[in-house]
Amino acid sequence: MATYNWGIDYPFRADVDMDNYQYHFVVAASTVGYVKPVSASRGMVLGVLQNDPSAGDAATVRILGISKVVAEAASAIT
């Protein structure tokens, strides 16, 4: 079965080590041009992290299109 995966990716920098956050939502960090994982403090989601960068490395963020997403919840997602 063929799959159709398209999207627009935008380059940012990782504010923190995001080795375990591939395919998680990210938000803008306090430093311009940097992103960090979504936390309890939330913020406006920029997109989905497509790679697993260390702090300061290039972070590829899918801002439009189709992407795998990893979600964790304490209760059911509806």
Side-chain angles (χ1 to χ4, degrees), residues 6-57:
W6 67 273
I8 297 174
D9 296 338
Y10 197 84
F12 289 94
R13 290 276 173 200
D15 190 52
V16 296
D17 186 18
M18 295 197 286
D19 286 342
N20 297 318
Y21 290 97
Q22 186 175 17
Y23 303 121
H24 284 75
F25 290 111
V26 293
V27 296
S30 57
T31 305
V32 175
Y34 283 71
V35 293
K36 63 183 181 178
V38 172
S39 66
S41 61
R42 295 185 179 77
M44 182 181 289
V45 172
L46 292 175
V48 179
L49 185 65
Q50 298 297 300
N51 60 343
D52 56 350
S54 296
D57 288 347

Side-chain angles (χ1 to χ4, degrees), residues 54-78:
S54 296
D57 288 347
T60 304
V61 178
R62 173 85 28 105
I63 59 171
L64 177 69
I66 299 169
S67 178
K68 175 182 178 176
V69 174
V70 174
E72 299 171 13
S75 60
I77 298 174
T78 58

